[in-house]
Amino acid sequence: QHSSRNNACGLYRVGRLEFPMLFLIFLEHILIRLVVDGLPACRDSELFIKDLHFDEVPVRIYLPRVPSASKRRGVIFFHGGCGMFGTLNVYFYFLNSLICPDLVSKLFFIGYGTLYGIYISYTQTLDCLTATVHFLKTAENYGVDPDRIIVCGDSVGGTYTASVCQELVNRRDIPKIRAQVLIYPFLQALNFNLPSHQKNAFIAFLSQERTVLFILKYLNKDCSMKGAILAGSHVPESINLKYKKWINPDLIPEIFKLGYKPPLPTSFSPQVHEATKELFETRFSPLLAEDAVFCRLPDTCIITCEHDVLRDEGFLYKKRLEDNNVKVTWHHMKEGFHCALGFFGYGIFSFPSSSKILNHTVNFIKAY
């Protein structure tokens, strides 16, 4: 069957049938959720695993059965999945590996708003923040040292990690987060024409176009705005000038800019800007936070992948942190790709980069 797409009106055509792009993404969402929700809830005889709630937010805790004479470190993990596809079961093998004998952590896996049906925009961010605050206040009840809590997340989970850490920098009524781990995170929605966007424009799992489509679906917006956002028409000149010092291809190391072509100038669309103002909020684009916030962030580990449209966002966040004298550990996976972590532990479907990401994460956490 011949198929084509009409980018102007956001339609996909299959033969004589036309489908709205948003409907196809919605259908994809449902199918993927059916698959991942059908994964069995794995168990490990050496771990105590229990589902509970922190202020009504679903949480799965992983505790070593071997008792400890002292309080252990705690790890909070926010899963990826574009804010739409994640599940508590997909990451079992990765999470199980974080509770290894020489790490002896206690892990708290936050299941934010997507876990029980269709998401509500920003519910996930607030869920992650609510659950984190609850845990920081009650850590000792779980045998966790409140001064040794690390927050970790991959993909949009990395976004939530960055956002939560930023939200909490000025809180004096709860313990400080000790460190954060950002695994191929999404960190800004101003510029979708950075070198990594161009290089990996048609890569599997998360292409340049799908990145914007997922954002629009997440915000419950009209997917026909995709082209305008890809071109940068949603950003007024004043905002471009304000954030150019932080989001700029010139800040990317030359070795990662091979073949890069500056995008053609585009006209500003007030209508698209008005409809997508959420993109400029720091909880959605943590790269836009001021230096006064960055300078108070905890020690950070950033893991980027070469074959990932979001690669350069990790680079830029790393630079912001370093410019503000925050200790940063950076690992770049030359063979890595977006979603690699979700494949860890699944036999022939696992990849070398998945194991490397795990090892880097574990080694970083060990230091705290």
Side-chain angles (χ1 to χ4, degrees):
Q1 280 273 359
H2 171 71
S3 64
S4 62
R5 60 185 175 182
N6 184 330
N7 288 329
C9 59
L11 297 177
Y12 272 86
R13 176 174 295 164
V14 181
R16 296 182 179 179
L17 301 177
E18 287 186 341
F19 298 94
M21 196 178 301
L22 183 59
F23 170 77
L24 292 181
I25 297 175
F26 174 80
L27 182 61
E28 177 188 48
H29 177 190
I30 297 298
L31 292 174
I32 292 177
R33 288 306 300 266
L34 286 173
V35 172
V36 298
D37 285 349
L39 292 172
C42 302
R43 299 295 177 188
D44 188 300
S45 60
E46 297 183 359
L47 293 175
F48 173 77
I49 303 174
K50 183 178 181 180
D51 292 335
L52 63 158
H53 289 79
F54 285 173
D55 285 345
E56 301 185 358
V57 179
V59 176
R60 179 169 293 170
I61 62 172
Y62 294 73
L63 308 175
R65 290 188 181 275
V66 179
S68 173
S70 59
K71 290 184 172 61
R72 289 168 160 152
R73 72 169 61 83
V75 179
I76 300 173
F77 185 81
F78 303 132
H79 67 77
C82 300
M84 296 177 282
F85 305 125
T87 172
L88 289 169
N89 297 333
V90 167
Y91 290 82
F92 171 79
Y93 295 107
F94 168 72
L95 299 172
N96 184 47
S97 298
L98 289 182
I99 315 296
C100 55
D102 56 344
L103 197 59
V104 290
S105 296
K106 294 191 175 184
L107 181 69
F108 297 78
F109 187 22
I110 309 301
Y112 46 79
T114 61
L115 297 178
Y116 300 117
I118 304 303
Y119 66 94
I120 301 174
S121 179
Y122 282 147
T123 294
Q124 301 95 322
T125 307
L126 297 176
D127 281 354
C128 292
L129 180 60
T130 298
T132 300
V133 170
H134 177 96
F135 178 57
L136 289 170
K137 290 179 177 179
T138 61
E140 293 188 85
N141 296 342
Y142 299 93
V144 171
D145 183 345
D147 295 321
R148 299 177 66 201
I149 294 175
I150 297 97
V151 184
C152 176
D154 73 311
S155 189
V156 73
T159 314
Y160 300 148
T161 297
S163 175
V164 166
C165 287
Q166 290 185 4
E167 289 278 349
L168 297 180
V169 294
N170 293 317
R171 291 286 294 266
R172 297 173 181 261
D173 59 320
I174 53 178
K176 296 292 184 184
I177 291 173
R178 184 66 185 87
Q180 62 176 336
V181 182
L182 311 178
I183 303 170
Y184 44 74
F186 170 85
L187 297 167
Q188 62 86 31
L190 268 70
N191 188 335
F192 292 97
N193 273 288
L194 294 170
S196 62
H197 291 119
Q198 292 187 8
K199 177 183 182 293
N200 300 298
F202 304 103
I203 206 76
F205 299 113
L206 191 66
S207 65
Q208 181 186 35
E209 179 179 290
R210 287 168 68 82
T211 300
V212 175
L213 289 175
F214 285 142
I215 288 171
L216 290 170
K217 177 166 171 34
Y218 176 82
L219 295 174
N220 289 315
K221 303 297 183 180
D222 183 356
C223 283
S224 66
M225 294 188 290
K226 177 202 68 178
I229 293 175
L230 281 171
S233 297
H234 63 304
V235 187
E237 185 62 20
S238 59
I239 290 182
N240 267 325
L241 291 174
K242 179 179 179 180
Y243 294 115
K244 188 176 182 180
K245 58 184 177 182
W246 298 333
I247 302 176
N248 192 326
D250 294 340
L251 301 175
I252 305 300
E254 289 299 323
I255 191 173
F256 296 111
K257 294 170 63 176
L258 298 178
Y260 171 72
K261 296 180 179 179
L264 297 173
T266 185
S267 58
F268 170 61
S269 171
Q271 294 81 8
V272 175
H273 172 70
E274 187 65 28
T276 59
K277 280 186 174 180
E278 298 98 323
L279 300 181
F280 306 102
E281 297 179 12
T282 54
R283 59 180 174 176
F284 196 94
S285 295
L287 253 172
L288 304 187
E290 296 295 330
D291 287 338
V293 172
F294 265 87
C295 69
R296 303 183 67 181
L297 289 172
D299 295 354
T300 303
C301 175
I302 297 177
I303 299 176
T304 55
C305 292
E306 181 63 26
H307 307 292
D308 179 14
V309 291
L310 305 183
R311 179 198 69 187
D312 293 350
E313 299 182 22
F315 293 171
L316 295 175
Y317 208 76
K318 169 179 174 288
K319 186 177 188 308
R320 290 289 316 277
L321 290 166
E322 291 173 338
D323 289 347
N324 283 278
N325 299 312
V326 176
K327 183 180 178 181
V328 181
T329 300
W330 172 53
H331 299 286
H332 184 61
M333 306 293 101
K334 293 182 179 179
E335 296 83 27
F337 59 94
H338 202 82
C339 301
L341 193 60
F343 289 92
F344 176 77
Y346 288 93
I348 61 172
F349 297 105
S350 190
F351 294 84
S353 59
S354 305
S355 298
K356 290 179 182 178
I357 291 171
L358 168 68
N359 292 335
H360 289 312
T361 302
V362 168
N363 290 334
F364 178 80
I365 292 174
K366 280 182 183 178
Y368 299 90

